[in-house]
Amino acid sequence: DIQMTQSPSTLSASVGDRVTITCRASQSIAYWLAWYQQKPGKAPKLLIYEASSLQSGVPSRFSGSGSGTEFTLTISSLQPDDLTTYYCQQYHSYPITFGQGTRLEIK
Amino acid sequence: EVQLVESGGGLVQPGGSLRLSCAASGFIFSSYWMSWVRQAPGKGLEWVANIKQDGSEKKYVDSVEGRFTISRDNAKNSLYLQMNSLRAEDTAVYYCARYPVSGPIDYWGQGTLVTVSS
């Protein structure tokens, strides 16, 4: 199974900050990586697919990069609505696996 | 508008069974793989199972293989998850999700809570 490791687990930041979350795969997944945002009590929302493609309707302050085993999600200017939890997911091979999550909190 | 509505969750004793359903609308259901993903209380996301458009291929996470069965009825635009031999560690919110051919999951239902406890 491919293990996905996110860092950090918790990130404290201020509104307006540039924020970066990292996701590492235990083996190469090419660009088969997605990022999701999940707010408390709600279903996850797809932000990024194929490592760097922005899902329709997602604000352009979100961007993704990387390939192989190392990936990043960047929020260019953090907004209050962004303070929640983010997950990476690999869909290169079964079983599909998620990172453990990164919680963004206010500094 | 894509809509996925789960039902069938509830409280069940260890060793018991439960069948989850998901009603899909707003897209051509028979054109998509479909998924079940779960989330234990306060924990992260865990993919559970996928099923191909015509039901001919099914994939499972090891922890549910042999106990859970994913199925679909394209005539009813419905997805199912039959869960047998339930364990306490199966307690979670179960999400139905749409999985385009090349992935990833792009739409999720609101989830249904399954609690396994005596």
Side-chain angles (χ1 to χ4, degrees):
Chain A
D1 297 3
I2 299 174
Q3 276 206 319
M4 306 302 292
T5 304
Q6 287 181 235
S7 59
S9 295
T10 306
L11 179 57
S12 297
S14 301
V15 172
D17 283 354
R18 182 181 180 88
V19 167
T20 297
I21 300 169
T22 297
C23 180
R24 288 186 174 87
S26 60
Q27 63 190 75
S28 178
I29 57 170
Y31 51 84
W32 299 110
L33 183 103
W35 289 97
Y36 296 89
Q37 177 193 67
Q38 187 179 32
K39 297 186 176 179
K42 300 293 186 182
K45 173 187 173 184
L46 177 64
L47 301 176
I48 302 285
Y49 62 96
E50 290 179 8
S52 60
S53 296
L54 192 67
Q55 176 70 349
S56 176
V58 173
S60 58
R61 64 180 180 273
F62 291 92
S63 64
S65 65
S67 65
T69 61
E70 188 149 338
F71 303 86
T72 59
L73 173 70
T74 299
I75 307 173
S76 60
S77 178
L78 193 67
Q79 300 301 302
D81 190 54
D82 302 335
L83 291 166
T84 188
T85 303
Y86 295 84
Y87 294 92
C88 63
Q89 177 210 55
Q90 69 80 19
Y91 52 106
H92 172 272
S93 57
Y94 287 105
I96 294 166
T97 47
F98 291 88
Q100 81 279 13
T102 295
R103 189 167 68 94
L104 284 189
E105 60 179 31
I106 195 80
K107 185 184 285 185
Chain B
E1 179 195 2
V2 173
Q3 284 204 317
L4 299 165
V5 180
E6 302 93 336
S7 60
L11 175 64
V12 61
Q13 292 190 338
S17 298
L18 210 56
R19 189 196 197 205
L20 305 183
S21 299
C22 171
S25 61
F27 65 102
I28 303 173
F29 181 71
S30 58
S31 295
Y32 288 84
W33 283 72
M34 295 295 294
S35 302
W36 287 100
V37 177
R38 67 184 178 183
Q39 186 169 35
K43 302 297 184 184
L45 300 165
E46 180 182 39
W47 169 80
V48 173
N50 269 17
I51 186 168
K52 197 176 178 179
Q53 292 94 323
D54 61 358
S56 61
E57 264 187 73
K58 303 176 184 182
K59 306 287 188 183
Y60 299 94
V61 69
D62 282 351
S63 58
V64 309
E65 182 87 56
R67 300 188 299 123
F68 291 11
T69 302
I70 188 171
S71 62
R72 63 192 297 162
D73 185 335
N74 287 343
K76 295 182 177 179
N77 289 344
S78 293
L79 177 72
Y80 306 101
L81 187 67
Q82 177 66 45
M83 303 185 294
N84 298 331
S85 303
L86 282 161
R87 307 166 180 166
E89 55 264 35
D90 296 318
T91 294
V93 172
Y94 285 73
Y95 294 101
C96 163
R98 190 177 83 167
Y99 191 91
V101 170
S102 57
I105 289 170
D106 61 353
Y107 285 94
W108 303 65
Q110 84 289 350
T112 187
L113 177 62
V114 172
T115 303
V116 184
S117 174
S118 54

